[in-house]
Amino acid sequence: MHVMARVDPHAVHADALAAHPEWVDRTPDGAPREHWAFPGTYVTCPFGPYNREFVTEVARELVREYDIDAIFANRWQGHGVSYSEHARRAFFDATGHELPIEPYDPDDPAWKAYVPWRRQQLSELVALWDTAVKDIRPHARFIPNLGSLAVHELDRDLIERHYPFFVLDRQSRSGVEPPWTAGRNAKRSRGAFRDRPVGLISSVGPEHHAHRWKDSVASPAEIRMWIVDGFAHGGFPWFTKFNGVVPDERWVAPVVDAFGLHAAVEPVLSRMRVTADVAVFDTAEPGGDPHEDGVHQALVEARIPFEFVSATRFTPEELGRFRVLVLPNAERMSDEACAVVRDFVRAGGGVVAGHRTSLQAADGTPRADFGLADVLGVHLEQDVRGPVKNNYIALTGEHPVSAGYEGARRIIGGTHLLGVAAAPDATCPSGSCRTTPTCRWRSSTRAGPRRIRRSWRGSGRGRAARSTSRSTSGRCSGRRCSPTTAGSSRAPSRGRSVRRPGSTSAGRACTTSLCTRPMASSRCAW
């Protein structure tokens, strides 16, 4: 048995605030930030002396005085932007900017500077704590809780030196989140660090941040589903129970069942290797994206195995393991990342690109045209507009893209549209659908598959295409859209394919709305 101590440095009581005002987080007007769920306590600043000095000494004392193997730190990264004097001064000295004002704005220069600055600060803190622990007890480690987006918040080199495994804290579903969210967290972590085990923390109650029902109990099926979906995708289960009593015993049996199942299947799962042909690009940026949600839902429903490939590990070697790359809405792509995609298509890979993919450089600087315009055979005429209301896709002919919609002449169209133009040497299959009303703004299906340009250099065998709108399907689960009207993946065979003259079906890609079903193909199954 290994023993892990637990610390939680995210808040202090009023007496600590009085003695050490420099320890706490501050609001933009300089007031101490009171805890949102525990009156009389105050949130600490993650960048100040509380974490760097006080918690470091606490960690040293724990490993010196107790026979433990590790220390686990909960809620240590801060909660939003800390406007403490220490944070203000450190950020300005490093970047020349004042701290950004929430909410997050990817186009604000201060936010562009803050995200990498915060990543570096937190990474250095992890290294400080882990080193302090190992200096006293060499085999011990300091393991911070990484929330739900483990690897994107820390420096890659420091993670590789100081993290033997990851712990992701996403304890249950919130609202109408899909049930695959637990497994996605594990897959996303694996996309950046394939050699690091990852544990998924779960609990027994509903995840409701406004009311904090942490001592309540969700249904047995809900508890079981969350744990099982996590370990089915590579995240070992880590169960937590709040409060030291059990006023409701209904959670016990499903937890026992789930952990029993894990014990039975883990010897088999641990010997299996990932063989997915499809890679979904993970932008490694803050916040969620309905485009990625829609792609994820489509792939899950279509039973297509897929993996994430992280922007932090986007190399030809990493991408070369796959046959198809999906870019749901990868707005920010460096020139180097675009070159990786270009080489992937040359080698025969298929690419599906959505919405505003490659319209910005890695630092958020806008591009005048798609960074992948030469690959996709489409150019930007006018940037996004929307939300567009009462927009539809008219099905005008027979084509695999419209299979499964027999009896329907039109379906829901996109809600945020881009004005695009096909490259002069790009060709499309005979039209099977159009937007209603017809105009130069194209929805995701109307944009159609674009062949790779005929002026393509070398002997490239791949195909690429893009969808140019935000489809409603990425948000369907929250709005209870009908699968048929919304273009859900339940209807079969609605992908489009692109082929070069004389080519085989290998290396094809297709344009889709965000929820489609695959066509039979040796290369791109959409």
Side-chain angles (χ1 to χ4, degrees):
M1 177 182 291
H2 296 280
V3 179
M4 177 181 287
R6 181 184 187 273
V7 296
D8 192 329
H10 86 287
V12 296
H13 290 274
D15 56 347
L17 168 62
H20 295 280
E22 73 279 8
W23 281 1
V24 302
D25 191 347
R26 302 278 170 166
T27 61
D29 60 4
R33 192 184 298 274
E34 190 168 7
H35 198 283
W36 58 93
F38 193 167
T41 63
Y42 298 85
V43 179
T44 55
C45 173
F47 312 118
Y50 181 78
N51 270 359
R52 288 190 172 271
E53 298 172 10
F54 180 72
V55 175
T56 304
E57 289 305 312
V58 169
R60 289 193 178 110
E61 179 180 339
L62 286 171
V63 293
R64 184 174 58 246
E65 301 297 329
Y66 301 93
D67 185 14
I68 59 175
D69 303 294
I71 297 175
F72 172 74
N74 190 48
R75 294 190 291 190
W76 60 280
Q77 310 103 312
H79 297 268
V81 177
S82 170
Y83 298 94
S84 71
E85 182 58 32
H86 184 94
R88 288 180 185 273
R89 185 170 60 252
F91 182 66
F92 184 83
D93 290 347
T95 69
H97 293 284
E98 297 294 334
L99 286 166
I101 302 298
E102 294 180 293
Y104 173 69
D105 179 0
D107 298 321
D108 182 350
W111 274 110
K112 291 180 182 180
Y114 179 80
V115 172
W117 176 82
R118 178 179 182 270
R119 180 181 299 120
Q120 185 63 31
Q121 292 290 310
L122 295 180
S123 299
E124 292 174 358
L125 189 58
V126 170
L128 172 67
W129 285 337
D130 191 50
T131 301
V133 166
K134 289 190 293 187
D135 283 346
I136 297 173
R137 193 178 292 271
H139 80 276
R141 305 303 291 265
F142 196 102
I143 309 294
N145 186 340
L146 291 179
S148 61
L149 293 178
V151 294
H152 299 158
E153 296 192 342
L154 299 175
D155 177 80
R156 183 177 190 86
D157 292 336
L158 285 171
I159 284 179
E160 291 182 338
R161 292 202 301 270
H162 294 280
Y163 267 87
F165 65 92
F166 300 134
V167 179
L168 307 187
D169 192 351
R170 191 63 177 273
Q171 296 174 16
S172 60
R173 284 203 292 173
S174 178
V176 293
E177 275 186 320
W180 42 253
T181 306
R184 177 167 66 173
N185 293 335
K187 295 179 72 163
R188 180 175 276 127
S189 177
R190 185 168 61 245
F193 293 91
R194 278 189 281 147
D195 63 337
R196 291 294 193 274
V198 55
L200 298 179
I201 297 179
S202 62
S203 65
V204 302
E207 191 72 9
H208 198 298
H209 297 290
H211 302 294
R212 297 283 296 174
W213 287 313
K214 304 304 293 184
D215 206 28
S216 183
V217 174
S219 70
E222 182 77 20
I223 296 171
R224 195 180 296 110
M225 171 275 299
W226 194 252
I227 297 173
V228 171
D229 188 73
F231 70 68
H233 293 282
F236 63 83
W238 177 317
F239 169 70
T240 184
K241 169 66 177 69
F242 291 82
N243 200 347
V245 297
V246 184
D248 188 335
E249 298 180 357
R250 290 176 296 172
W251 61 268
V252 177
V255 169
V256 170
D257 290 346
F259 272 71
L261 178 60
H262 177 258
V265 303
E266 177 59 18
V268 177
L269 295 178
S270 62
R271 295 194 300 268
M272 298 177 70
R273 64 185 183 91
V274 174
T275 59
D277 286 334
V278 177
V280 176
F281 184 77
D282 181 9
T283 60
E285 298 210 4
D289 186 350
H291 300 268
E292 183 193 295
D293 291 347
V295 165
H296 199 112
Q297 179 70 22
L299 291 168
V300 168
E301 289 195 16
R303 303 295 191 267
I304 298 176
F306 67 98
E307 286 287 291
F308 283 104
V309 57
S310 174
T312 64
R313 193 190 179 106
F314 196 61
T315 63
E317 296 74 22
E318 187 68 14
L319 192 55
R321 301 187 296 130
F322 304 99
R323 300 170 68 188
V324 178
L325 171 65
V326 183
L327 302 157
N329 183 33
E331 293 187 64
R332 297 187 179 193
M333 295 188 70
S334 66
D335 291 341
E336 293 77 11
C338 290
V340 170
V341 175
R342 210 167 275 118
D343 291 342
F344 177 68
V345 173
R346 277 198 188 102
V351 174
V352 180
H355 203 44
R356 301 191 77 253
T357 289
S358 75
L359 275 179
Q360 295 180 0
D363 64 355
T365 302
R367 290 188 173 107
D369 198 359
F370 301 108
L372 294 173
D374 58 330
V375 177
L376 302 168
V378 64
H379 298 283
L380 180 70
E381 286 190 334
Q382 191 169 349
D383 209 343
V384 65
R385 72 179 180 101
V388 176
K389 299 181 179 180
N390 207 32
N391 184 47
Y392 302 93
I393 304 296
L395 306 178
T396 59
E398 293 185 3
H399 190 275
V401 75
S402 57
Y405 286 119
E406 289 77 9
R409 290 188 294 275
R410 68 178 186 178
I411 57 175
I412 288 176
T415 60
H416 292 74
L417 312 180
L418 291 170
V420 299
D425 55 356
T427 59
C428 301
S430 57
S432 63
C433 54
R434 60 180 174 81
T435 54
T436 304
T438 302
C439 65
R440 69 189 185 93
W441 292 95
R442 304 185 177 201
S443 76
S444 57
T445 310
R446 174 69 175 101
R450 305 299 184 201
R451 255 202 51 225
I452 199 166
R453 294 178 63 171
R454 291 194 188 111
S455 58
W456 182 254
R457 299 190 187 102
S459 56
R461 295 179 292 112
R463 297 292 172 273
R466 75 175 297 111
S467 78
T468 55
S469 82
R470 171 181 292 177
S471 167
T472 55
S473 54
R475 299 181 183 272
C476 269
S477 60
R479 295 183 180 175
R480 304 291 199 274
C481 291
S482 159
T484 303
T485 59
S488 155
S489 59
R490 295 173 190 242
S493 304
R494 296 199 301 279
R496 285 184 169 188
S497 63
V498 184
R499 304 183 72 170
R500 293 189 70 166
S503 73
T504 65
S505 59
R508 65 169 67 173
C510 47
T511 298
T512 70
S513 64
L514 291 183
C515 285
T516 57
R517 285 284 294 209
M519 293 166 32
S521 159
S522 64
R523 174 63 69 177
C524 179
W526 283 77

